[in-house]
Structure formats: structure tokens, C-alpha cells
């Protein structure tokens, strides 16, 4: 095994690279076998590449070429955070094309799932398959309330000296609390070459973009022909779980997985159950 392969045996060890597109230097990480259709991971609100759960990335990268990156103006990527989901989608398309790919699979979580929907609607020939987790459609009822929910849980996290994601992503019960602590611990496994956390203004701009998405006209998801896997917990406080069912009804042939007694981070709480489903879907 080469030293590069050894370094890439786990996501927490993968080095950060950069590629330039439209004057923006995008930071990205990649691992897994080359040659097939890569899976592009689109991260959540305020997230950097360090916010991906290695228990999801590692097994998927065991079978597929996985690429994560930080959005414009976030982490080690340069530029200014866009104030609309549509602009973020154009950025993602530019990033993908800068890497030389004409066809990719998209794995979008939360904000990343919104970006994925916009990207596939604007650049349909670029996308082969979609995985949409913990997310909702444009105009989805309740999405505009994310700002209030987020600030409330950021405050709760500050007052209790806990990561706000423990409140935002997980139920505060006997099942959710230990799952939250385990998830946060996994995110800390990478100890070197970590990205800088998102700046406050960039975070606020992302929140505004999500609110605009929630208040915008509904998109015609019925035009999508890409195979789509939709997943969430049954009690998502950030992006209401009912919106996952709504997308499932509107995207012909889509598959829906809802995990019990879990919230926004259902795929992380049930990573051992979700990963086989995702691998089967991506491997068809």
C-alpha cells in the first residue's frame, strides 16, 4: 500500500487540496477509488469539511470516490458567502467542473440538500443521483423559522457549554443525548490541519439565504429524473420532517427513509443503518 493510500485510509487523515474556479480557491478533500462517478458531499449551515461524520464518509469512500469541500467564503475556501441558495449551487457546479467532472452524484445534508436541489434543477446534466438528508424544498413550510431555532439553540449551547449541534441535530432524551455526544466526539477525531470555523457574518448570510429559500416560490421537483434517496429523523426541529415526505411525493420514483426517535441528525445517530442503504443506492 502506498503512503498516499495509507494517509487516505480514514477521512480524519485526508489532506486538504485546493482548486480555483471563477477566481475562488475552493478547499477540498478526496478519498476512495478513482475512476467511477464521484460523490460530492454538500455540507450543512455553518459547516466546514471538518463537520462530516467520518462514520459516514469512510465506509462510502470504501466503495466510491468521495469529495468534500467548503463553500465559498467558508473554512479555507476564499471569497464571500453568497446570499442565495441558487448562487451556492452555481458555485458548487463551478467547483465540480473545475475538477474536470461532467457527471457526479450529490450527497446534500441540510443546507447542502437545498444546494443539491437547486444545482440539479439548474444543471441537470451534471447530476446522476441525489441523496437528500435533513433538508427541504424551496418554499417548504417552516424552513423560514430556522433562524429563530438556530439562534435559540446556539444560546442554549453557550449557556451549557455544549456544542449547539447537540440541541439542533438530536432529541434531548435518553436516545438523543448519548448519540449527540458520540457524534460531537467523532467530529473531533481529526486533530491536524483543521479548518477555521465559519465567521459570524458568513453564518448570518447563510441563514438569510436559507430563509429566502423557505419563503421563495415552490420549485417543480416533478421534472427531476435522477434517482433520489431522501432521509431524515422523525422529529427534525430545523427542517420539519414532513418536508422529507413532501419531497418524496414530488420526486417521481424517489425513496424515503425516516429514522425513529431522532432529529435533524438522524443519519448520524443511525449511521450504522443509513450507510448500507446509501451504499446500496449509490451502487446500483
Amino acid at each position: 500500500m502506498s503512503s498516499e493510500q495509507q494517509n487516505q485510509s480514514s477521512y480524519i487523515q485526508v489532506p486538504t487540496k485546493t482548486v480555483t474556479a471563477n477566481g475562488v480557491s475552493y478547499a477540498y478533500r478526496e478519498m476512495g477509488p478513482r475512476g467511477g462517478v464521484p460523490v460530492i458531499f454538500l455540507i450543512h449551515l455553518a459547516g466546514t469539511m471538518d463537520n462530516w461524520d467520518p462514520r459516514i464518509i469512510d465506509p462510502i469512500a470504501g466503495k466510491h470516490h468521495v469529495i468534500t469541500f467548503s463553500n465559498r467564503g467558508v473554512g479555507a475556501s476564499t471569497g464571500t458567502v453568497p446570499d442565495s441558495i441558487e448562487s451556492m449551487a452555481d458555485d458548487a457546479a463551478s467547483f465540480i467542473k473545475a475538477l474536470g467532472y461532467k457527471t457526479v452524484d450529490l450527497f446534500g445534508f441540510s443546507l447542502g440538500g437545498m444546494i443539491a436541489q437547486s444545482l440539479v434543477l439548474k444543471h441537470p446534466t451534471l447530476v446522476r443521483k441525489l441523496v437528500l438528508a435533513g433538508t427541504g424544498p424551496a418554499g417548504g413550510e417552516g424552513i423560514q423559522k430556522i433562524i429563530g431555532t438556530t439562534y435559540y439553540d446556539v444560546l442554549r449551547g453557550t449557556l451549557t457549554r455544549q456544542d449547539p449541534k447537540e440541541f439542533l441535530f438530536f432529541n434531548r432524551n435518553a436516545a438523543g443525548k448519548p448519540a449527540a455526544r458520540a457524534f460531537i466526539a467523532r467530529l473531533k477525531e481529526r486533530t491536524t490541519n483543521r479548518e477555521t470555523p465559519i465567521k459570524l457574518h458568513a453564518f448570518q448570510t447563510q441563514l438569510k439565504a436559507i430563509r429566502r429559500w423557505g419563503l421563495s416560490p415552490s420549485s417543480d421537483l416533478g421534472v427531476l429524473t435522477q434517482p433520489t434517496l431522501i432521509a431524515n429523523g422523525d422529529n427534525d426541529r430545523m427542517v420539519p420532517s414532513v418536508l422529507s415526505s413532501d419531497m418524496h411525493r414530488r420526486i417521481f420514483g424517489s425513496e424515503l427513509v425516516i429514522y425513529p426517535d431522532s432529529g435533524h441528525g438522524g443519519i448520524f445517530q443511525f449511521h450504522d443503518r443509513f450507510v448500507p442503504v446509501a451504499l446500496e443506492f449509490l451502487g446500483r
Side-chain angles (χ1 to χ4, degrees):
M1 183 182 290
S2 71
S3 59
E4 182 180 8
Q5 286 174 314
Q6 288 177 331
N7 288 338
Q8 295 194 2
S9 61
S10 176
Y11 182 64
I12 64 173
Q13 299 170 314
V14 173
T16 301
K17 304 177 181 181
T18 59
V19 66
T20 300
N22 297 333
V24 176
S25 176
Y26 289 97
Y28 72 99
R29 296 173 186 157
E30 60 180 341
M31 63 182 293
R34 309 296 195 266
V37 175
V39 185
I40 309 294
F41 279 70
L42 301 163
I43 192 63
H44 60 73
L45 166 70
T48 69
M49 291 183 289
D50 295 328
N51 287 108
W52 282 114
D53 189 340
R55 299 305 182 277
I56 285 181
I57 297 291
D58 285 354
I60 292 179
K63 301 285 187 181
H64 300 271
H65 182 189
V66 163
I67 300 173
T68 67
F69 74 105
S70 283
N71 296 316
R72 172 160 54 109
V74 179
S77 293
T78 64
T80 303
V81 172
D83 62 0
S84 74
I85 302 297
E86 291 76 13
S87 293
M88 295 179 193
D90 287 337
D91 286 345
S94 296
F95 165 75
I96 291 164
K97 292 174 182 177
L99 291 179
Y101 296 110
K102 295 181 179 179
T103 306
V104 299
D105 292 338
L106 295 180
F107 187 120
F109 173 67
S110 193
L111 167 63
M114 299 171 192
I115 296 171
Q117 291 173 67
S118 180
L119 196 159
V120 72
L121 288 168
K122 297 185 77 174
H123 310 273
T125 61
L126 194 58
V127 182
R128 184 186 69 156
K129 292 184 178 181
L130 279 172
V131 179
L132 303 174
T135 194
E141 187 174 352
I143 291 179
Q144 75 277 9
K145 298 177 183 177
I146 283 180
I147 292 180
T149 302
T150 300
Y151 280 133
Y152 175 68
D153 282 350
V154 166
L155 177 62
R156 285 208 290 174
T158 301
L159 293 176
T160 58
R161 297 185 179 180
Q162 297 178 77
D163 191 303
K165 288 189 287 295
E166 292 196 37
F167 298 94
L168 288 165
F169 285 17
F170 299 88
N171 289 340
R172 303 302 292 163
N173 60 16
K177 288 182 179 180
R181 290 192 294 269
F183 171 68
I184 298 301
R186 295 197 297 271
L187 297 188
K188 295 178 180 177
E189 288 177 356
R190 185 184 184 99
T191 56
T192 59
N193 300 313
R194 293 181 65 90
E195 287 194 290
T196 304
I198 193 170
K199 302 289 192 298
L200 178 59
H201 179 69
F203 171 61
Q204 292 172 329
T205 303
Q206 284 191 341
L207 277 173
K208 291 176 183 175
I210 292 173
R211 184 174 185 273
R212 286 177 62 179
W213 176 260
L215 294 173
S216 67
S218 181
S219 300
D220 183 9
L221 298 179
V223 302
L224 298 185
T225 58
Q226 288 81 357
T228 302
L229 172 65
I230 301 166
N232 206 348
D234 64 356
N235 183 40
D236 190 336
R237 293 177 60 250
M238 292 194 74
V239 186
S241 301
V242 67
L243 295 179
S244 292
S245 299
D246 176 47
M247 292 189 299
H248 173 50
R249 283 193 300 270
R250 293 163 59 189
I251 302 175
F252 179 77
S254 62
E255 299 165 50
L256 176 66
V257 181
I258 299 292
Y259 293 102
D261 196 16
S262 59
H264 192 59
I267 65 167
F268 307 126
Q269 182 169 335
F270 288 96
H271 61 86
D272 56 335
R273 289 168 57 178
F274 172 69
V275 165
V277 172
L279 281 173
E280 193 279 328
F281 172 76
L282 292 169
R284 285 179 207 158

